[in-house]
Structures are given as C-alpha cells and as structure tokens.
Amino acid sequence: MVEFAPLCVPWKRRLQTLVVLQAVSCLVSMAILSYVVFIGLLFTRFWIISILYAVWWYLDRAKPWQGSRHIDVLRRWSVWKYMKDYFPISLVKTADLDPSRNYLVGYHPHGIATVGAFTNFCTDGTGFSSLFPGIRSHLMVLNLCFWAPVFRDYIIISGMVAADKESASHILSREGGGNLLAIVVGGVQEALDARPGGYKLVLRNRKGFIRLALMHGADLVPIFSFGENDIYDQVENSPGTWLRWFQDGLQRVTRGSILLVYGSFGLMPYRRPITTVVGKPIEVQKTPHPSQEEVDRLHQHYMTELENLFEAHKLKYNVPRDQHLEFY
C-alpha cells in the first residue's frame, strides 16, 4: 500500500525528493527524449535548431575522449546539496591526495545507479573540492551515454568521460598532476548482484585499470562506498534463473543490461545513507610496458588494501562483524 507524504513535510525535504526524482527520470528518459526532440524538430519550421546542434555535435564529438569539460559553477550548484541530503551521502577522507600526482580511483561497489560516484566526483555536493584541494575529478561512464544529443552535453560538463583506454590515457598522462579518474570497476556485471546487504565485487579478473595505472605512473586509490547497494531492491535474478540468463546475454552483446529494481515509490531510491570512504593512495612507479607479473602483483596489493579499508570501517557503518567482501 502506497503511503503519500503528509502536507506537513518540510519544504527542504520536498526539494530533496524533487531533485532526486529529476535525476532518476533523467537517467530513465532524458536520453530518449532528446532524440525525439532532435529528430522531431527536423520536421518543423524550427529545423535549423537541430541542424545547428548537429554541427556542434560533430565539432565537439571527441570531447568525451579528451577529458570532457568542467564548469565548476554548475558542479557547485546548491541543487546537488539537496541530492546529497536526500540519502544522505557523505565523503570520508582517510589520507591526503598530493595535487602534483595523478590518480586512478577504483570505486566499489557499483550498486544500481552509482549515485555515490556521481554525487562525489561529478558534483561538489559532498565537498570534494574542499577535502581534496587542487584535484580535478572525472568519472568514467559507458560510451553509449554520449550518443544522445543534448544529454551528452549535460554529462560532459559534469566531468564524465568515455570508458576506454584512449580517454583514460588522456587524463592520466596530463603534466602537472592534480587529475583524478574514477572507474566503477565492477560495471554492469556487478550491478546484477547489487542488493541491500550484498558485498559481492567483480574484481578478481579486472586488471585493465591496474595496467593503466602502471603505464602512466598514476597512484591507485581504493574506495568503498558503504550503503551504495542499499538504496534499491532488485527483482530476484540469481544465477540460473531465466531473468539472469537474459540479463547476462544482453550484457555480453551490448555491455549494458536491464535491471529490474524498485525503491520506496517506483524508481525513487530509499532514503538510506551512503558513506564513501576514500582510502590511502598506493604509490605506483611509471612502467610504460608492464609485464603480466607486475600487473598481477599490483592487482593483489590493490585487493588487499581495499579489503583492509572495508574491514577497518565496516563496524562504523552497521556492517556485521562476520561480513566480509566477496571477490569474483
């Protein structure tokens, strides 16, 4: 039975809900709507708008592979504070990041919508710029996200970049340091197992980001976001079910999939806290042509540091003492 909010709910709390509703609806429909409007205008007297945008799109097509563009004023909009307060989301620093270095961050877990990753690294809602002065953050997302007109510009200005080697190399090779690239390592495959109380991470065979760190001498930073898996429930899709068979097949073909999830009201996520804990950087020496042995060694070190980070903080965020990370 649906329970509607009473009229006495504070205006600030209603604004929090409105902002999150906008973000959710954006992910679900804005990309499709932008295509409809773009094509629809071609058959009206305003066709020139679509033509001019198409020219801009062509000229700007490489931007997601060239670090995107940061518009700091937009990243500091007060609207992101409301989004942060909805759950709420908090960012915890355990060590400083030297602005003379570049960083490759592994974000865990993926969750359903990577809300913590977006809020922490694509906005200043949780105070990233104050906690880590001199560091400019970027977040990798599927290339598919940049195929939709207008929507692509919306995510480009927040610092999202294309998820491939060329894009990562552009950021990590920048002279002078101060660049941070966050990669949600587990990807869609991990999202398929995301549910409240779950701590399964797809990491054991994910070593591409380790090789990138070695090639560019970028320090590795493990991050664990407590509560990221708790904001949605997911329809039963354990391995062996017909739904999981379909989702896995779609993921292999498109690199994406369809997640059947629900929250407090349809697709509205639950108001449950997300605490993103940033671990201590792992210093990486530049190795232009790393051997598989070097990659494996650093990967094992990274997994150990991530596990230590989880164990050191889990009791603070209501994770049972006997609960541990599961790598697969």
Side-chain angles (χ1 to χ4, degrees):
M1 181 177 179
V2 176
E3 294 184 9
F4 292 94
L7 295 177
C8 61
V9 170
W11 178 240
K12 182 177 180 180
R13 188 176 175 89
R14 292 186 182 276
L15 282 176
Q16 294 168 6
T17 301
L18 182 63
V19 169
V20 173
L21 177 62
Q22 180 274 333
V24 170
S25 62
C26 169
L27 291 173
V28 174
S29 63
M30 185 174 175
I32 297 175
L33 181 62
S34 63
Y35 261 120
V36 171
V37 173
F38 176 75
I39 296 173
L41 285 176
L42 291 173
F43 299 94
T44 71
R45 59 178 177 171
F46 302 107
W47 57 270
I48 190 62
I49 296 176
S50 290
I51 297 300
L52 290 175
Y53 181 82
V55 173
W56 159 254
W57 191 356
Y58 176 78
L59 296 175
D60 195 55
R61 65 190 183 281
K63 202 63 181 176
W65 286 265
Q66 297 175 349
S68 289
R69 60 173 61 86
H70 281 67
I71 300 182
D72 291 335
V73 172
L74 300 182
R75 288 165 63 96
R76 291 195 295 267
W77 270 0
S78 59
V79 70
W80 305 124
K81 299 287 186 182
Y82 290 111
M83 184 168 180
K84 179 262 296 186
D85 290 338
Y86 174 90
F87 295 95
I89 301 171
S90 55
L91 184 63
V92 176
K93 179 176 76 171
T94 63
D96 291 328
L97 298 183
D98 183 353
S100 68
R101 300 282 294 173
N102 288 328
Y103 297 94
L104 184 56
V105 165
Y107 184 91
H108 313 271
H110 183 286
I112 297 298
T114 59
V115 171
F118 172 78
T119 307
N120 287 309
F121 302 119
C122 297
T123 82
D124 205 37
T126 55
F128 180 91
S129 62
S130 298
L131 285 173
F132 301 104
I135 303 295
R136 174 165 289 191
S137 59
H138 307 77
L139 176 65
M140 268 194 167
V141 298
L142 288 175
N143 297 0
L144 183 66
C145 297
F146 299 100
W147 293 1
V150 182
F151 179 73
R152 67 177 294 277
D153 299 278
Y154 176 79
I155 61 177
I156 282 175
I157 62 175
S158 67
M160 294 188 191
V161 296
D164 61 29
K165 183 178 179 180
E166 177 188 349
S167 176
S169 297
H170 181 88
I171 294 170
L172 298 177
S173 62
R174 284 177 175 172
E175 298 292 334
N179 297 286
L180 180 150
L181 176 62
I183 300 178
V184 187
V185 180
V188 175
Q189 186 179 347
E190 189 174 278
L192 294 173
D193 286 317
R195 47 183 34 88
Y199 297 95
K200 292 182 177 181
L201 302 183
V202 177
L203 180 59
R204 194 170 297 281
N205 296 313
R206 297 285 171 101
K207 301 180 181 181
F209 74 107
I210 300 292
R211 187 176 295 277
L212 278 170
L214 283 165
M215 290 171 60
H216 297 284
D219 290 351
L220 282 166
V221 183
I223 287 183
F224 195 86
S225 203
F226 293 90
E228 185 73 61
N229 280 342
D230 298 339
I231 62 173
Y232 280 109
D233 282 306
Q234 187 166 185
V235 173
E236 173 58 32
N237 66 336
S238 55
T241 62
W242 70 268
L243 177 57
R244 186 56 170 266
W245 173 82
F246 172 76
Q247 291 174 324
D248 287 340
L250 188 61
Q251 192 267 332
R252 284 192 295 270
V253 174
T254 67
R255 296 184 63 189
S257 194
I258 296 175
L259 304 178
L260 300 183
V261 302
Y262 56 94
S264 60
F265 188 84
L267 290 177
M268 282 296 293
Y270 297 117
R271 284 179 177 265
R272 293 173 180 169
I274 298 174
T275 305
T276 303
V277 182
V278 182
K280 181 181 178 182
I282 301 170
E283 187 174 347
V284 177
Q285 296 298 321
K286 187 173 182 178
T287 311
H289 304 287
S291 65
Q292 189 59 50
E293 182 182 355
E294 290 172 315
V295 171
D296 291 343
R297 188 185 309 120
L298 182 56
H299 181 260
Q300 185 58 52
H301 185 191
Y302 177 86
M303 288 178 62
T304 300
E305 289 298 314
L306 176 62
E307 194 166 23
N308 290 341
L309 180 70
F310 177 80
E311 294 293 333
H313 294 272
K314 68 180 184 181
L315 296 181
K316 302 175 189 176
Y317 306 114
N318 302 315
V319 178
R321 186 180 298 274
D322 61 352
Q323 177 69 63
H324 307 288
L325 293 180
E326 299 177 54
F327 297 118
Y328 67 105

